């Protein structure tokens, strides 16, 4: 859209652009493609409330998500936000290496380390890792299979309710693989509610609680000079939920809450010029109004 600071740089050739950068005031947001592949359920099984009309509209927004025979092709994407004070905040940590918890169903190994290197970001430059939630495809490059945090200088920001829900459910995957090593290294930063991570004269970087997909799900808002980039996490896992926010995704922990959260977030996004930055759509950035609900 004309008139917006839409500086886009890509690397690689053919297929989806693995790295795309968007500037917003004092911030720079780099989309980093960790992996791409078909989901293990058809789109109808994953979103059984969607109508053919919904699918037609979704296809116009994100044609790359539609594979043959109603398969759903999805990206697994992380975002690095360059902080005005130096260093980076990384939002989500992808599917991870061979042997990560996501190996059971996601296309591992991911390529986040390669993407970071291409973008000139060293692991030591990452000051903050925000995990939108503790599903395996968002926390894979948090800690190595040997239990070493990949980002030695970072605190890892997770909603406290996300951790307590896993503890209540007796989780034996993410707690030992991600949470306990970070607790041991002193890098786990459990938070409650929205937290300001960085500030500029006319904006900032903050977390926004967006529960429903999981109990302690959070999104990340980058706001400066009257514009914003909203890193949604899994509030939107497919464009069908952008064009029809009432459509539930099969693996939402609380579908009714997820629906209310999605509506509220998209309504709030409509009040400012907003780019949505999603983990799983095959377009790294899209205008909030492109859903045209
Ligand atoms: Zn996900």
């Amino acid at each position: 859209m004309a008139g917006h600071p839409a500086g886009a740089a890509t690397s690689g050739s053919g297929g989806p652009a693995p790295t795309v950068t968007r500037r917003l005031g004092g911030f720079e947001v780099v989309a980093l493609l960790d992996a791409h592949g078909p989901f293990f359920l058809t789109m109808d099984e994953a979103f059984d409330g969607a109508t053919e009309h919904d699918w037609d509209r979704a296809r116009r927004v994100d044609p790359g998500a539609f594979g043959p025979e109603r398969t759903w092709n999805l990206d697994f994407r992380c975002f690095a936000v360059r902080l005005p004070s130096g260093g980076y905040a990384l939002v989500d940590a992808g599917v991870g290496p061979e042997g990560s918890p996501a190996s059971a169903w996601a296309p591992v190994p991911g390529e986040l380390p390669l993407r970071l290197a291409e973008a000139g970001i060293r692991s030591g430059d990452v000051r903050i890792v925000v995990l939108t939630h503790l599903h395996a495809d968002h926390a894979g490059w948090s800690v190595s299979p040997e239990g070493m945090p990949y980002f030695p200088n970072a605190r890892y920001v997770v909603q406290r309710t996300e951790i307590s829900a896993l503890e209540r459910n007796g989780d034996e995957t993410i707690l030992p693989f991600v949470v306990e090593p970070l607790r041991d290294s002193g890098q786990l930063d459990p938070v409650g509610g929205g937290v300001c991570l960085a500030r500029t004269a006319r904006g900032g970087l903050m977390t926004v609680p967006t529960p429903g997909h999981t109990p302690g799900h959070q999104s990340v808002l980058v706001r400066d000079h009257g514009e914003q980039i909203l890193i949604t996490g899994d509030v939107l896992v497919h464009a069908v939920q952008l064009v029809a926010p009432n459509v539930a995704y099969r693996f939402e922990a609380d579908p009714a809450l997820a629906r209310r959260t999605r509506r509220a977030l998209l309504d709030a996004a409509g009040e400012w010029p907003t780019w949505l930055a999603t983990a799983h759509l095959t377009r790294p950035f899209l205008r909030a109004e492109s859903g045209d609900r």
Side-chain angles (χ1 to χ4, degrees):
M1 179 174 283
H4 291 286
T10 60
S11 62
S13 59
T19 305
V20 181
T21 300
R22 183 164 291 286
R23 287 176 190 82
L24 186 71
F27 296 98
E28 196 174 275
V29 180
V30 188
L32 304 156
L33 185 66
D34 185 42
H36 176 84
F39 197 58
F40 59 86
L41 297 176
T42 66
M43 60 191 215
D44 303 293
E45 290 166 331
F47 306 93
D48 67 359
T51 65
E52 276 313 308
H53 178 60
D54 297 332
W55 289 123
D56 286 346
R57 291 157 68 218
R59 190 186 290 270
R60 283 199 286 276
V61 175
D62 188 15
F66 291 77
E69 307 194 346
R70 300 187 76 84
T71 47
W72 169 26
N73 288 333
L74 70 165
D75 285 359
F76 297 85
R77 189 178 294 100
C78 312
F79 293 89
V81 183
R82 189 162 60 81
L83 302 169
S85 59
Y88 286 85
L90 180 68
V91 181
D92 279 338
V95 299
E98 208 73 62
S100 73
S103 305
W105 62 274
V108 299
E111 296 188 316
L112 180 63
L114 175 64
R115 297 282 99 83
L116 287 167
E118 286 171 350
I121 302 170
R122 293 168 301 185
S123 60
D125 297 337
V126 176
R127 307 269 190 264
I128 303 166
V129 177
V130 178
L131 298 174
T132 60
H133 61 299
L134 291 174
H135 278 168
D137 57 321
H138 294 257
W141 295 104
S142 299
V143 178
S144 76
E146 295 75 37
M148 294 295 292
Y150 280 110
F151 303 99
N153 300 327
R155 61 190 168 103
Y156 287 65
V157 175
V158 187
Q159 289 289 321
R160 205 172 284 126
T161 47
E162 186 75 355
I163 298 169
S164 56
L166 289 181
E167 289 170 342
R168 234 182 1 262
N169 294 338
D171 168 82
E172 292 181 349
T173 307
I174 299 293
L175 288 176
F177 193 91
V178 175
V179 174
E180 285 159 20
L182 292 174
R183 203 174 259 149
D184 290 347
S185 72
Q187 291 173 264
L188 186 67
D189 185 6
V191 299
V195 177
C196 179
L197 302 173
R199 220 182 277 280
T200 63
R202 295 181 60 193
L205 173 70
M206 61 213 87
T207 65
V208 183
T210 44
H213 181 77
T214 58
H217 191 283
Q218 59 187 344
S219 303
V220 173
L221 187 58
V222 189
R223 183 180 282 173
D224 212 352
H225 290 79
E227 277 201 296
Q228 55 188 16
I229 296 176
L230 179 56
I231 305 174
T232 62
D234 279 2
V235 173
L236 292 169
V237 300
H238 192 291
V240 79
Q241 295 186 300
L242 175 60
V243 300
N246 285 341
V247 171
Y249 167 54
R250 187 184 182 119
F251 298 108
E252 284 164 349
D254 183 337
L257 179 58
R259 186 178 294 136
R260 284 201 301 280
T261 290
R262 189 159 43 249
R263 294 214 79 101
L265 197 71
L266 292 171
D267 285 349
E271 293 167 14
W272 294 63
T274 301
W275 290 97
L276 300 173
T278 72
H280 295 308
L281 274 63
T282 73
R283 295 171 57 188
F285 297 101
L286 65 168
R287 299 297 299 192
E289 66 270 23
S290 61
D292 194 23
R293 294 170 299 283

